[in-house]
């Protein structure tokens, strides 16, 4: 088999697809931050207490966890382009509805629906990002997630401005919905085809003695083998380890989001503004680390970058909790973020390299990741009630060490960039976009 190289047109197509994927990630982060930034106005409009609002805010997480496992199947059947288009419109409409719901119960139900669409959108954009980076032979996933962070920062800034000028929620959310839908519509025009093809059943073996019933039996066996191949296990041993790495990473990230500012005020005596600055350091380091993640991952190898990241986050948590003075907390927060920033993108890339049903594998990884965001921080809070917040955060050292120890699970299985080991125009080449693709599977 003669290796085929990508032509200039294919490289340009992949470059446009990568930029389009980055834009979709940024829009996704922008929409979420737009909602979060107006939580105080939503609370005041409905007259909700902190406890009531806290319970209601659990519903989008549950909605995401319920929809995400099915999203991989939808991407395989319809393609990520269709799934993203549908969920973007639905999530944008749900965002507008959040501005006018009359009661807390209605808010919870709408958030549940919004979370289910948002979670599926998250899976689909990761599926497409994985398809693009695999065909390019590059580690682009960290940059996609960095763009999500930038979108979140922009959404929060716009939300703060809207609150400052007293813009009504319905007007703010309507503008965000139209803007997000328009930007995603433009981006989808540059997406590549990533629907997967069903493998052909194994050919029947001719009978040895010419029995009339034998061909039918062999045909049934061949079809059975084809179905078993197409329905191969998603949760392999390797993917379970990738899931553990993901769970550790998202718990580390979520703990910083929920508890870092409170740790600065309650345990370190920082003012509210200095505490907010502490999380800002974490967020900026997170985005910066992800933008540089492609270079780091390609130089150290994906598993090498994750191993180093686990060790750096270990040091970061240690310095944050045990270091003297506020400056050490800021330094520790930056190391904490730089260590954990590449782990989740690396886990998604590893899931996308699953030999059977990669879209479902990505869905599994992202679902586990959302579970870590949802469950991990509350558990830290429960532990803090018993031993104090500082000591509770030290439990994160175990998770950082686990990331370093399990880093080989995310080792890249991708062939090096350049020659593509398929005949030109063969089954690995998408006729839709002219971009070499890896062998694909489908139920």
């Amino acid at each position: 088999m003669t290796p085929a190289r990508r032509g200039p047109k294919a490289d340009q197509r992949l470059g446009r697809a990568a930029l389009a994927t980055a834009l979709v990630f940024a829009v996704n982060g922008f929409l979420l931050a737009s909602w979060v930034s107006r939580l105080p106005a939503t609370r005041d409009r409905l007259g909700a207490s902190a406890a009531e609002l806290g319970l209601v805010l659990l519903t989008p997480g549950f909605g995401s966890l319920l929809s995400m496992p099915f999203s991989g199947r939808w991407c395989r059947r319809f393609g990520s382009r269709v799934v993203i288009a549908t969920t973007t419109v639905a999530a944008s409409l749900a965002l507008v509805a959040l501005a006018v719901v009359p009661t807390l119960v209605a808010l919870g139900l709408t958030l549940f629906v919004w979370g289910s669409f948002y979670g599926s959108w998250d899976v689909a954009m990761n599926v497409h990002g994985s398809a693009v980076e695999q065909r390019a032979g590059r580690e682009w996933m960290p940059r996609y997630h960095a763009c999500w962070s930038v979108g979140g920062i922009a959404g929060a800034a716009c939300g703060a401005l809207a609150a400052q000028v007293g813009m009504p929620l319905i007007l703010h959310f309507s503008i965000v919905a139209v803007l997000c839908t328009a930007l995603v519509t433009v981006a989808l025009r540059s997406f590549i085809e990533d629907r997967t093809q069903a493998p052909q059943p194994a050919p029947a073996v001719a009978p040895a003695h010419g029995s009339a019933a034998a061909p039918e039996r062999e045909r049934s066996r061949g079809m059975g083998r084809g179905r078993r191949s197409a329905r191969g296990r998603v949760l392999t041993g390797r993917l379970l380890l990738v899931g553990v790495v993901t769970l550790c990473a998202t718990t580390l990230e979520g703990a910083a989001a929920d508890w870092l500012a409170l740790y600065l005020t309650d345990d370190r005596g920082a003012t509210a503004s200095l505490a907010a600055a502490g999380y800002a350091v974490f967020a900026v380091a997170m985005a910066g680390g992800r933008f540089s993640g492609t270079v780091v991952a390609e130089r150290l190898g994906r598993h090498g970058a994750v191993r180093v990241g686990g060790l750096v986050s270990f040091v970061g948590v240690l310095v944050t909790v045990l270091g003297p003075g506020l400056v050490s907390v800021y330094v520790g927060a930056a190391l904490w973020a730089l260590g954990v920033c590449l782990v989740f993108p690396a886990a998604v890339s590893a899931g996308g390299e699953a030999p059977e049903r990669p879209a479902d594998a990505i869905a599994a990884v992202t679902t586990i990741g959302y579970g870590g965001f949802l469950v991990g921080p509350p558990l830290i809070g429960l532990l803090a009630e018993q031993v104090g917040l500082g000591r509770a955060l030290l439990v994160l050292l175990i998770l950082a060490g686990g990331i370093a120890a399990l880093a080989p699970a995310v080792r890249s299985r991708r062939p090096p960039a350049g020659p593509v080991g398929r005949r030109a125009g063969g089954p690995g080449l998408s006729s839709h976009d002219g971009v070499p693709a890896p062998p694909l599977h489908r139920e």
Side-chain angles (χ1 to χ4, degrees):
M1 181 179 293
T2 304
R5 293 183 180 272
R6 293 192 306 270
K9 289 185 178 180
D11 285 334
Q12 292 174 6
R13 179 84 170 105
L14 283 173
R16 291 195 300 270
L19 290 174
T21 306
L23 177 58
V24 170
F25 269 80
V27 172
N28 185 274
F30 184 88
L31 187 140
L32 175 62
S34 298
W35 154 245
V36 172
S37 67
R38 301 307 301 272
L39 273 175
T42 301
R43 177 200 59 195
D44 296 342
R45 183 177 71 83
L46 297 175
S49 67
E52 290 170 335
L53 188 62
L55 287 175
V56 168
L57 291 178
L58 290 174
T59 57
F62 288 119
S64 295
L65 288 177
L66 286 176
S67 70
M68 292 172 82
F70 302 99
S71 304
R73 178 178 300 179
W74 298 335
C75 289
R76 282 188 290 112
R77 178 165 297 181
F78 304 111
S80 62
R81 179 191 281 112
V82 172
V83 176
I84 291 173
T86 303
T87 53
T88 299
V89 172
S92 297
L93 291 174
L95 178 69
V96 176
L98 291 174
V100 296
V101 289
T103 65
L104 277 174
V105 173
L107 178 66
L109 292 174
T110 306
L111 280 172
F112 181 87
V113 173
W114 177 80
S116 66
F117 288 120
Y118 188 86
S120 295
W121 178 4
D122 193 308
V123 171
M125 67 186 187
N126 276 289
V127 168
H128 187 262
S130 175
V132 173
E133 71 166 6
Q134 286 195 55
R135 297 184 196 186
R138 301 293 305 277
E139 295 285 346
W140 282 342
M141 192 64 71
R143 291 182 179 175
Y144 300 147
H145 285 256
C147 290
W148 185 93
S149 299
V150 171
I153 293 171
C158 291
L161 180 61
Q164 180 68 29
V165 300
M167 182 181 291
L169 282 175
I170 182 63
L171 178 59
H172 177 202
F173 288 173
S174 296
I175 293 173
V176 170
V178 172
L179 178 63
C180 290
T181 302
L183 289 175
V184 169
T185 300
V186 171
L188 292 179
R189 297 174 60 185
S190 296
F191 269 37
I192 60 175
E193 180 61 67
D194 58 2
R195 280 178 294 182
T196 54
Q197 302 170 355
Q200 297 298 318
V205 180
H209 302 292
S211 167
E216 185 63 30
R217 287 197 301 270
E218 293 299 333
R219 188 179 301 111
S220 298
R221 291 172 186 168
M223 292 175 65
R225 285 192 296 269
R227 284 193 296 267
R228 285 193 295 272
S229 174
R231 297 179 182 272
R233 290 193 324 163
V234 174
L235 292 178
T236 61
R238 176 180 183 256
L239 193 65
L240 286 174
L241 291 178
V242 172
V244 173
V245 171
T246 305
L247 188 65
C248 293
T250 54
T251 302
L252 274 162
E253 186 178 343
D258 285 11
W259 297 112
L260 183 57
L262 286 173
Y263 171 72
L264 277 162
T265 55
D266 295 352
D267 288 44
R268 294 302 186 106
T271 63
S273 59
L274 289 176
Y279 181 68
V281 168
F282 181 91
V284 171
M286 193 87 170
R290 283 176 168 171
F291 272 119
S292 63
T294 295
V295 174
V296 174
E298 290 180 346
R299 177 163 298 183
L300 301 179
R302 186 191 301 152
H303 64 291
V306 169
R307 179 182 291 114
V308 171
L311 297 175
V312 171
S313 61
F314 185 99
V315 174
V317 172
L318 204 61
V319 171
T320 299
V321 177
L322 300 182
L326 289 179
V327 173
S328 68
V329 178
Y330 294 152
V331 172
L335 292 174
W336 183 345
L338 290 173
V340 78
C341 67
L342 300 184
V343 182
F344 187 35
V348 172
S349 293
E353 293 170 355
E356 296 284 348
R357 298 159 60 186
D360 296 84
I362 291 175
V365 169
T366 51
T367 301
I368 293 171
Y370 267 60
F373 283 122
L374 187 65
V375 177
L379 292 179
I380 295 292
L382 292 175
L383 183 60
E385 286 289 328
Q386 305 300 319
V387 301
L389 184 53
R391 291 181 180 178
L393 290 176
L394 289 176
V395 172
L396 299 175
L397 297 175
I398 300 174
L399 304 183
I403 290 173
L406 297 177
V410 304
R411 183 188 301 269
S412 177
R413 295 182 173 182
R414 182 184 309 157
V420 180
R422 301 173 187 86
R423 270 192 291 260
L429 190 66
S430 167
S431 61
H432 177 79
D433 50 42
V435 178
L440 301 169
H441 305 273
R442 183 182 176 182
E443 285 189 6

